[in-house]
């Protein structure tokens, strides 16, 4: 019994050390908050169109009843990574044919219109969320964030950060899984 | 004196006010509830700060959201539930006690318990040594030596 007890401190240290090593080496990002909206229906929101932009506004019904895979991209003209992912999303939408809609988060309509003129408008509809209140319904903590909603109106994936590089890989995997 | 004043100034500069005048509700009771709730909600951007003191844009939005729900008549618990439904348990500074967090809550007490039991076991194990018994001659010798030392 004494022998076992003598080993106890080092066993506890080894177990604890194992966990700590896993935390450091596994590459997980502890600041990433898991989305609680996965497997939930689309949240309630209703947004008008951006003034000066052709695309119609966006509401819960539009996304829920789309009947096809819908990608909801939260973006803003003041967001630098959004520029980078814009090209990628445009190409993905052209190649794969899902419905791409946008939420313009905390942006002045004039700036958004200019940004879309400059970079192109791949969105079927864009909701203008000037106050950011609808963003809270989606549980976003910043821009860009992109959600994949399946044909049944259930949220299946949330990508925090631009859909480029690793983010694009994860995003594509999630799309392929549907 | 100058040093003392500098120190006082630095200490007075510490409090961080993030709640802006245009957020404050008219009803002081509701506003007080809002501040208390905000102190328990984690800012999802600067994640170790409550939204009450965070200057992030999302923090302000969440503060406004809390006030909106309070004005609409929600209880404190309903406001927390509303936030958790959108952001998850992570947004609370007090993790709820449920199966996925049992390990988190119980581990500190378990470790203290294990430590306490180990210490107790080690202490209880050794029998007390019997005091050496000295013969009368030895006692006299000791007394003599002690007197000499003085």
């Amino acid at each position: 019994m004494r022998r076992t007890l003598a080993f106890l401190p080092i066993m506890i240290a080894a177990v604890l050390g194992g966990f700590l090593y896993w935390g450091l080496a596994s590459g997980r990002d502890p600041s990433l908050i898991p989305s609680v909206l996965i497997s939930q229906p689309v949240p309630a929101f209703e947004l008008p169109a951006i003034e000066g932009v052709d695309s119609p506004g966006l509401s819960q019904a539009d996304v829920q009843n789309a009947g096809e895979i819908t990608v909801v991209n939260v973006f803003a003209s003041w967001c630098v990574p959004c520029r980078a992912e814009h090209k990628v999303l445009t190409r993905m939408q052209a190649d794969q044919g899902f419905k791409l809609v946008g939420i313009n988060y905390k942006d002045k309509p004039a700036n958004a219109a200019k940004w879309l003129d400059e970079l192109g408008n791949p969105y079927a509809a864009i909701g203008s969320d000037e106050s950011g209140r609808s963003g809270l319904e989606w549980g976003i903590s910043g821009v860009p964030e992109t959600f994949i909603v399946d044909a049944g109106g259930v949220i299946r994936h949330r990508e925090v950060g631009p859909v480029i590089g690793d983010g694009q890989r994860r995003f594509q995997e999630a799309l392929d899984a549907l | 004196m100058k040093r003392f004043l500098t120190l006082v100034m630095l200490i007075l500069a510490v409090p961080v006010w993030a709640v802006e005048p245009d957020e404050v509700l008219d009803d002081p009771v509701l506003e007080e509830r809002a501040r208390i709730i905000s102190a328990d909600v984690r800012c999802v951007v600067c994640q170790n700060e409550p939204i009450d003191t965070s200057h992030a844009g999302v923090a302000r939005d969440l503060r406004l959201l809390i006030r909106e729900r309070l004005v609409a008549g929600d209880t404190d618990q309903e406001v927390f539930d509303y936030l958790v439904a959108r952001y998850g348990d992570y947004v609370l500074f007090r993790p709820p006690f449920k199966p996925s967090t049992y390990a988190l809550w119980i581990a500190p007490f378990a470790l203290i318990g294990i430590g306490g039991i180990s210490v107790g076991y080690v202490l209880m194990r050794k029998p007390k040594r019997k005091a050496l018994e000295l013969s009368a001659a030895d006692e006299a010798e000791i007394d003599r030596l002690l007197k000499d030392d003085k």
Side-chain angles (χ1 to χ4, degrees):
Chain A
M1 185 57 178
R2 275 176 70 173
R3 272 275 186 84
T4 330
L5 267 192
F7 276 106
L8 195 58
I10 194 140
M11 288 196 311
I12 293 180
V15 168
L16 216 55
F19 272 115
L20 294 173
Y21 179 75
W22 168 78
L24 285 174
S26 70
R28 57 185 271 278
D29 184 356
S31 71
L32 271 184
I33 308 175
S35 173
V36 78
L37 288 181
I38 307 284
S39 306
Q40 299 292 323
V42 173
F45 73 104
E46 194 174 330
L47 294 172
I50 309 177
E51 276 173 42
V53 174
D54 261 339
S55 315
L58 191 66
S59 72
Q60 177 190 30
D62 294 333
V63 184
Q64 187 124 44
N65 307 329
E68 56 173 322
I69 297 178
T70 310
V71 172
V72 180
N73 175 235
V74 185
F75 71 97
S77 64
W78 46 263
C79 155
V80 176
C82 299
R83 296 187 80 112
E85 71 167 0
H86 185 93
K87 259 201 304 249
V88 174
L89 282 176
T90 309
R91 196 166 12 99
M92 284 175 88
Q93 195 279 325
D95 289 344
Q96 299 173 44
F98 48 74
K99 179 170 171 185
L100 179 62
V101 295
I103 295 181
N104 188 225
Y105 183 74
K106 292 201 175 180
D107 213 354
K108 294 207 176 69
N111 295 343
K114 206 159 58 109
W115 194 81
L116 289 169
D117 270 341
E118 184 193 334
L119 295 176
N121 184 356
Y123 300 104
I126 314 179
S128 173
D129 187 12
E130 280 193 67
S131 65
R133 179 66 179 80
S134 295
L136 293 183
E137 293 295 327
W138 285 84
I140 69 172
S141 50
V143 273
E145 287 194 19
T146 313
F147 297 83
I148 302 180
V149 181
D150 69 14
V154 173
I155 300 179
R156 300 294 287 273
H157 181 79
R158 171 191 180 203
E159 189 61 42
V160 176
V163 180
I164 55 180
D166 271 345
Q168 183 180 359
R169 192 182 38 81
R170 279 192 300 263
F171 191 80
Q172 192 59 59
E173 277 171 16
L175 265 181
D176 294 338
L178 287 181
Chain B
M1 188 55 185
K2 223 208 267 178
R3 279 232 228 125
F4 175 71
L5 277 180
T6 313
L7 185 64
V8 168
M9 290 300 162
L10 285 174
I11 293 174
L12 287 176
V14 158
V16 175
W17 303 120
V19 179
E20 290 166 31
D22 62 346
E23 294 171 26
V24 174
L25 293 174
D26 289 331
D27 181 351
V29 173
L30 284 181
E31 177 64 20
E32 190 54 33
R33 278 174 66 196
R35 296 298 298 273
I36 294 174
I37 294 175
S38 303
D40 262 339
V41 173
R42 187 190 308 269
C43 171
V44 292
V45 172
C46 15
Q47 288 162 356
N48 278 323
E49 272 195 274
I51 57 175
D52 199 40
T53 56
S54 168
H55 290 275
V58 178
R60 180 184 145 88
D61 291 342
L62 287 173
R63 288 196 298 264
L64 288 170
L65 174 61
I66 290 176
R67 285 163 175 77
E68 180 193 301
R69 297 311 308 171
L70 285 175
V71 165
D74 278 2
T75 65
D76 287 0
Q77 189 53 49
E78 283 171 352
V79 174
F80 282 124
D81 290 343
Y82 192 91
L83 290 172
V84 169
R86 281 150 189 76
Y87 283 93
D89 291 331
Y90 187 78
V91 82
L92 300 172
F93 264 120
R94 247 180 269 259
F97 191 68
K98 52 190 218 194
S100 56
T101 58
Y102 281 163
L104 178 66
W105 277 102
I106 295 177
F109 300 103
L111 282 175
I112 291 178
I114 293 176
I117 292 174
S118 311
V119 167
Y121 183 80
V122 165
L123 287 180
M124 291 302 159
R125 215 166 22 125
K126 281 201 201 136
K128 284 226 178 88
R129 284 233 204 109
K130 270 170 47 179
L132 285 175
E133 289 195 344
L134 301 172
S135 66
D138 283 339
E139 289 275 359
E141 183 74 12
I142 289 172
D143 281 336
R144 191 180 59 78
L145 285 169
L146 283 174
K147 281 214 202 78
D148 277 344
D149 262 351
K150 290 201 182 102

